Amino acid sequence: ITGTRLAPKEKMDIPVLFAPDTMKMHEAAVVIHVMRENGENWPYEDSAELNKDLKSSVTVAENGGIQGILWIYPVHGIPEAPQQKLVPAVVRCRARQRVERRVEVLLTGVVPAATAMPAARNSAMFNTNKPTNIQEEVEVTDGFSTTVEFLYELQYQSNEIKSQLESLVGMHLIQREWDTESGIVTLIFNIVFAPNKPMRNEATLVVQCATGGVWKFPMLFIATEPEVDDVINIEAVGLNKESIVGFKLTSQTR
């Protein structure tokens, strides 16, 4: 095996290409083996008693010296569904009110745990029409916790938007459906939105299958102006004279 010669402090790029044909995670390792150009070994006094961690990162010569040093970098290839211009799922609510909406997402090219299935070339998209020939799954998952099949989370464009929406939006996966003919998996989420002020923020629903595929769906949260709390009428008592009306304000917090 011919190697690459490196001068002292020289840098070398190692390209890694990942071209998956299924929505399934693949694992590999990039192993770099370094030896001296003159073939000499690095001296090591206790080479016969190398600890377990060091044995996995060096190759020892017969004379007890260190012949080579290994760097091992694990690589996880996670396929992502092709991104297309999808219409965002809009969740709209008046400020200081609460709304619940069910959102369905379609996952194409899902690979079962036991067998592999070719990935579809079209991206998953939002759909409100239920397909036929459905088998319902009873088990559901809950966020990025210890789940068996699907993990999900909402991602935001910035930490500022995240801090605004994180406490106002709730999301729960309530049902999974499997179309036996097309292999498309439909996930049904229940979205709760309870804004406290008018806003318009975008988010991305990211779904990951336990077998490694990732799907992304755009979402839009809109909070419109709240309802008017009250109308205060002040009657004039005369020209250039003050009119006063009193009302109480109650704080929602301490």
Side-chain angles (χ1 to χ4, degrees), residues 21-54:
D21 56 358
T22 59
M23 293 294 288
K24 183 179 180 180
M25 184 177 71
H26 296 75
E27 297 182 7
V30 177
V31 181
I32 302 171
H33 190 199
V34 174
M35 296 181 292
R36 285 184 170 181
E37 186 180 17
N38 58 12
E40 297 180 357
N41 300 328
W42 285 280
Y44 190 80
E45 296 179 357
D46 300 326
S47 58
E49 299 177 359
L50 290 176
N51 59 58
K52 184 178 180 181
D53 294 335
L54 191 57

Side-chain angles (χ1 to χ4, degrees), residues 122-160:
N122 59 323
S123 174
M125 61 177 55
F126 286 100
N127 194 348
T128 56
N129 299 322
K130 286 190 176 182
T132 58
N133 198 22
I134 293 297
Q135 291 181 352
E136 294 189 1
E137 298 276 350
V138 178
E139 181 186 1
V140 297
T141 61
D142 183 14
F144 270 94
S145 59
T146 55
T147 58
V148 177
E149 294 208 5
F150 294 100
L151 311 173
Y152 60 90
E153 69 170 348
L154 278 176
Q155 293 181 353
Y156 305 96
Q157 293 180 330
S158 65
N159 290 332
E160 182 180 357

Side-chain angles (χ1 to χ4, degrees), residues 98-248:
R98 180 180 183 274
V99 69
E100 289 192 27
R101 182 187 168 186
R102 292 195 174 187
V103 174
E104 295 185 4
V105 298
L106 304 184
L107 311 182
T108 60
V110 178
V111 178
T115 59
M117 179 169 48
R121 293 301 176 183
N122 59 323
S123 174
M125 61 177 55
F126 286 100
N127 194 348
T128 56
N129 299 322
K130 286 190 176 182
T132 58
N133 198 22
I134 293 297
Q135 291 181 352
E136 294 189 1
E137 298 276 350
V138 178
E139 181 186 1
V140 297
T141 61
D142 183 14
F144 270 94
S145 59
T146 55
T147 58
V148 177
E149 294 208 5
F150 294 100
L151 311 173
Y152 60 90
E153 69 170 348
L154 278 176
Q155 293 181 353
Y156 305 96
Q157 293 180 330
S158 65
N159 290 332
E160 182 180 357
I161 296 177
K162 180 179 180 179
S163 63
Q164 292 178 6
L165 279 180
E166 200 168 29
S167 61
L168 308 177
V169 178
M171 181 177 61
H172 185 63
L173 176 61
I174 58 176
Q175 190 174 347
R176 299 177 305 172
E177 298 175 347
W178 182 281
D179 190 321
T180 56
E181 290 186 356
S182 65
I184 295 177
V185 173
T186 302
L187 301 183
I188 303 176
F189 292 91
N190 186 55
I191 307 291
V192 178
F193 185 35
N196 53 8
K197 62 181 180 180
M199 65 178 65
R200 182 187 179 94
N201 288 319
E202 297 178 354
T204 302
L205 171 58
V206 181
V207 180
Q208 180 173 351
C209 184
T211 56
V214 174
W215 296 261
K216 295 182 178 181
F217 307 93
M219 299 194 68
L220 180 60
F221 293 91
I222 300 176
T224 57
E225 293 290 338
E227 292 183 355
V228 175
D229 292 319
D230 200 358
V231 177
I232 301 172
N233 294 317
I234 304 177
E235 295 183 3
V237 297
L239 190 62
N240 294 325
K241 294 182 179 180
E242 291 183 353
S243 296
I244 299 175
V245 63
F247 57 90
K248 294 182 179 179

Side-chain angles (χ1 to χ4, degrees), residues 4-14 32:
T4 301
R5 183 180 183 275
L6 290 180
K9 297 184 178 181
E10 185 179 355
K11 295 181 180 180
M12 181 182 67
D13 294 328
I14 301 177
I32 302 171

